[in-house]
Amino acid sequence: MALPNDPIMLLSMINLKLRDFYPTLDALCEDLDEDKAALCARLSAVGYAYDPQRNQFV
């Protein structure tokens, strides 16, 4: 599945998937075959960082 190019749509999709389907970002990245560092960098560029306690980007 292709991830959205728009960073806000990406944020929304990733947080939804983390909330509803995946217990960790590692599990999401493994299942979707996504590079965790690249995903974090894309969201960091718009001011969001992964919070493992909340299991979401904030």
Side-chain angles (χ1 to χ4, degrees):
M1 173 175 68
L3 295 179
N5 288 327
D6 179 86
I8 301 306
M9 292 300 295
L10 175 63
L11 172 70
S12 178
M13 181 183 148
I14 294 299
N15 276 343
L16 178 138
K17 289 191 172 291
L18 287 169
R19 182 189 71 223
D20 293 347
F21 302 109
Y22 298 99
T24 65
L25 181 58
D26 289 324
L28 178 143
C29 289
E30 182 178 323
D31 190 48
L32 299 180
D33 196 29
E34 290 294 326
D35 181 276
K36 180 180 174 182
L39 179 60
C40 288
R42 286 176 66 189
L43 292 172
S44 176
V46 290
Y48 291 89
Y50 180 66
D51 179 349
Q53 297 296 89
R54 295 169 67 180
N55 192 35
Q56 67 179 350
F57 282 86
V58 292

